[in-house]
Amino acid sequence: MALRLYNTLSGKIEEFHPLDGNRVRMYACGPTVYDYGHIGNFRTFIAVDLLYRFLRQSGYDVRYVMNITDVDDKIILNSARDGVTVQQYTAKFTKAFLEDSATLSIEQPVLVRATEHINAMADFIAELAKKGFAYRTDDGSYYFRIAKFPEYGKLSKKDFAGMTDGARVDVDEYDKDNARDFALWKAPKPGEAWWDTSIGPGRPGWHIECSVMSMEQLGPSFDLHAGGEDLIFPHHENEIAQSEALSGKQFVRYWFHARFLLVEGQKMSKSLGNFFTIRDLVLRGHKPSSIRWLLTQVPYRNQLNFTFDGLKSAASSVEKLRNFRFRLTTTQFPTGANPAMTGLASETTARMKSALEDDLNTAEAQAAVFDMVRKSNAAQDSGGLRKDDVQPLLSALEKFDEVFGVLKDDDQPKMKAILDWARAVGRENDISPTLMELAGTAQLSDEQVNQKLAEMEAARKARNFKASDALRAELAAAGIIVENTKDGVRWRRK
Ligand code: AMP
Ligand code: ZN
């Protein structure tokens, strides 16, 4: 079976076949770096990360490009307000975005920055003007003439018949029902950043940035373009108009849009007090793996309602998976194989694959892996799991994790980094006791833990219980839980 994805352009679920054999070229609209990213932004970025990981797992050679919008209306406004250059203003938030992405185990795409492509944007606009798709106004701004592009509205399914030719809009974000010519290039305003280019001084509009960078990186026609659902209109509609007007070719074949995230049933907003960045949640003591898990639980086209109860149950789901692997890798099983268990492993892999091929049905893929965990735990308890079943079960789990990315137990150092950041920026008051407990203690490496366990064993064998108790207490203080089982001592992190 091939991967099937909902394509906003056709309004249908379609089989996904790239243009060029085994190569997939995809682009996602990245962050506008004017603030810390919130969980809504990361819902979209994680949805695209899952798609990217699954395409690679399916054997495709994927080139995945993401832009950093480091110049736009909001950035210009904020940097002028703070009296710093656009570059100074955005450097901080670009760094924060990359750190937060790594915290959530998002694999890094090829990154491109708008401010490094200003001349290419000016050239693109000059070309559009030459072809009659763009015009210059008296102040030196340029607009796209949508009356020249009759297919305008084909992505957002808006009918713009009877629009007024020449009516203009010059802000980047607008939700007008009647189409207007949108700004490609904005003439300098006092106190704002501007660049000197072949079409005169000024700065680009937001939409032209993505057309220029995606086509430069991926060619005039590529496979897939992604973003949150709010970008369908005007941003992506405008990208199509600009790009297809210039190249005369279809710009993108599959348009992938993630549905907006709600928080406790409401639209996220600062005034409602339900606006959370990744750092806010970690400061409250939530693990990055729980946040990632929660954001993957609901298929990308369904409404995801972010709740704190959901975050708690996400933590326990991740814990269950990690414990499952821990048990499999540390228990001594009787030799031989149980065909029911090897069968379970291959069925699970097949079920996960067909779930993800069904328009990335993450919920169904997760249900498949939990069925496997439940059945094989039951088999372990009744002695029905054998040594040769371990590897197939672990491989199924690894396949799952290649896409979902939560098994690696690295929450503690990630949380510690956010704790240090909070102290550095004066947010000590926001550090919760849970975060202190989980990340405040000195981190022991796996080798250090093993070393201390060996010392503890030696002390116990020498009947030096005082020393072995002291070592156990030291490990407990570092968040290491030591368990004595019939197969020997094992440990895990809290
Ligand atoms: P921005 O930084 O505002 O340009 O947005 C970056 C990405 O996050 C875009 O793809 C947006 O569509 C997406 N996004 C913004 N808010 C939400 C939300 N509440 N839920 C899901 N995606 C969002
Ligand atoms: Zn974009």
Side-chain angles (χ1 to χ4, degrees):
M1 264 294 209
L3 168 63
R4 278 153 290 127
L5 289 175
Y6 181 82
N7 183 354
T8 310
L9 185 61
S10 65
K12 288 199 290 254
I13 303 246
E14 289 178 38
E15 277 197 6
F16 176 79
H17 296 289
L19 266 170
D20 180 10
N22 201 38
R23 277 181 63 209
V24 173
R25 288 167 292 159
M26 62 186 263
Y27 182 90
C29 291
T32 307
V33 283
Y34 72 101
D35 206 343
Y36 292 101
H38 56 66
I39 50 177
N41 301 137
F42 283 101
R43 178 203 193 177
T44 294
F45 297 137
I46 286 182
V48 188
D49 182 54
L50 251 65
L51 172 66
Y52 173 47
R53 286 165 175 252
F54 184 58
L55 285 167
R56 274 192 332 199
Q57 186 177 79
S58 306
Y60 289 112
D61 173 12
V62 190
R63 180 165 172 81
Y64 169 24
V65 177
M66 180 187 275
N67 70 299
I68 304 270
T69 297
D70 56 358
V71 52
D72 93 324
D73 289 351
K74 284 179 289 224
I75 291 171
I76 301 260
L77 219 74
N78 291 4
S79 56
R81 176 198 66 199
D82 293 359
V84 293
T85 64
V86 163
Q87 279 81 357
Q88 284 165 333
Y89 187 83
T90 55
K92 172 177 161 188
F93 294 113
T94 303
K95 180 167 171 279
F97 167 71
L98 297 177
E99 288 169 355
D100 290 349
S101 298
T103 298
L104 292 177
S105 303
I106 293 175
E107 295 203 10
Q108 194 170 310
V110 176
L111 293 170
V112 286
R113 287 173 174 75
T115 51
E116 288 165 8
H117 295 80
I118 304 285
N119 286 324
M121 293 172 201
D123 294 345
F124 195 110
I125 295 166
E127 199 58 30
L128 283 176
K130 216 160 89 192
K131 294 188 165 186
F133 288 101
Y135 59 91
R136 187 175 186 273
T137 51
D138 289 345
D139 68 345
S141 298
Y142 280 80
Y143 289 82
F144 187 88
R145 187 188 300 281
I146 60 173
K148 266 276 290 194
F149 190 75
E151 289 176 67
Y152 193 77
K154 69 180 172 182
L155 181 72
S156 54
K157 314 284 179 282
K158 288 176 188 283
D159 181 5
F160 294 116
M163 61 200 170
T164 343
D165 185 16
R168 292 192 292 271
V169 55
D170 65 0
V171 288
D172 284 336
E173 288 176 78
Y174 50 94
D175 48 13
K176 293 279 180 290
D177 285 333
N178 55 335
R180 309 226 181 162
D181 292 353
F182 56 89
L184 297 163
W185 186 256
K186 305 180 187 198
K189 291 208 187 89
E192 287 189 353
W194 57 275
W195 284 259
D196 202 10
T197 69
S198 58
I199 56 168
R203 61 167 172 111
W206 172 34
H207 317 297
I208 195 72
E209 298 181 5
C210 282
S211 279
V212 170
M213 289 186 281
S214 62
M215 287 167 78
E216 180 200 273
Q217 291 292 323
L218 301 171
S221 292
F222 58 92
D223 299 302
L224 188 139
H225 195 314
E229 63 175 346
D230 61 320
L231 300 188
I232 298 172
F233 187 85
H235 186 53
H236 290 162
E237 196 72 67
N238 290 355
E239 279 189 47
I240 293 176
Q242 297 160 156
S243 300
E244 297 190 356
L246 187 95
S247 73
K249 297 184 181 141
Q250 181 173 26
F251 174 43
V252 169
R253 298 170 65 229
Y254 302 89
W255 286 88
F256 176 99
H257 291 106
R259 184 107 189 255
F260 253 39
L261 164 145
L262 298 181
V263 175
E264 307 280 354
Q266 286 178 301
K267 199 171 168 211
M268 190 164 40
S269 85
K270 287 198 170 142
S271 60
L272 287 173
N274 65 356
F275 182 97
F276 300 111
T277 65
I278 303 308
R279 290 161 200 241
D280 294 336
L281 296 177
V282 172
L283 288 176
R284 288 174 173 228
H286 298 286
K287 294 180 181 178
S289 59
S290 320
I291 304 170
R292 179 172 171 101
W293 183 265
L294 180 51
L295 295 178
T296 62
Q297 262 183 308
V298 175
Y300 75 98
R301 282 205 298 131
N302 295 359
Q303 189 100 66
L304 189 155
N305 186 21
F306 188 98
T307 67
F308 282 94
D309 283 346
L311 203 46
K312 272 196 217 128
S313 78
S316 95
S317 298
V318 173
E319 191 71 18
K320 251 186 230 154
L321 292 178
R322 290 181 181 171
N323 283 341
F324 174 68
R325 185 176 59 178
F326 181 74
R327 217 176 148 191
L328 278 184
T329 49
T330 55
T331 308
Q332 296 291 333
F333 293 101
T335 51
N338 174 356
M341 284 297 111
T342 10
L344 175 64
S346 54
E347 269 162 40
T348 306
T349 306
R351 218 178 123 191
M352 291 184 312
K353 181 166 183 279
S354 67
L356 293 173
E357 281 180 343
D358 178 15
D359 199 20
L360 291 187
N361 190 339
T362 48
E364 176 54 31
Q366 293 175 349
V369 84
F370 278 112
D371 275 351
M372 178 177 87
V373 170
R374 198 170 35 78
K375 288 180 185 154
S376 74
N377 276 340
Q380 281 186 56
D381 294 341
S382 63
L385 204 143
R386 302 305 182 91
K387 209 175 190 148
D388 294 348
D389 304 328
V390 170
Q391 202 44 52
L393 290 169
L394 282 177
S395 305
L397 189 65
E398 287 303 324
K399 267 229 134 45
F400 174 82
D401 202 54
E402 269 173 30
V403 178
F404 285 88
V406 292
L407 279 181
K408 189 168 175 208
D409 193 357
D410 56 2
D411 289 307
Q412 209 260 6
K414 289 170 169 176
M415 294 174 90
K416 174 76 167 53
I418 292 180
L419 180 77
D420 293 342
W421 165 82
R423 285 179 173 142
V425 300
R427 284 190 65 180
E428 287 92 345
N429 292 342
D430 296 330
I431 300 171
S432 65
T434 322
L435 179 63
M436 277 310 289
E437 191 194 323
L438 291 177
T441 46
Q443 162 82 337
L444 290 179
S445 67
D446 287 2
E447 294 83 76
Q448 286 169 318
V449 174
N450 287 329
Q451 175 64 32
K452 291 208 185 293
L453 274 182
E455 286 169 23
M456 203 173 103
E457 264 308 277
R460 204 178 54 82
K461 284 205 176 112
R463 308 190 66 75
N464 182 354
F465 297 114
K466 206 169 151 203
S468 74
D469 285 350
L471 281 159
R472 182 184 287 269
E474 194 186 322
L475 286 167
I480 306 295
I481 300 166
V482 180
E483 293 165 341
N484 291 311
T485 70
K486 62 178 176 11
D487 304 311
V489 178
R490 58 192 192 189
W491 64 272
R492 61 192 165 89
R493 294 185 195 276
K494 212 165 161 182

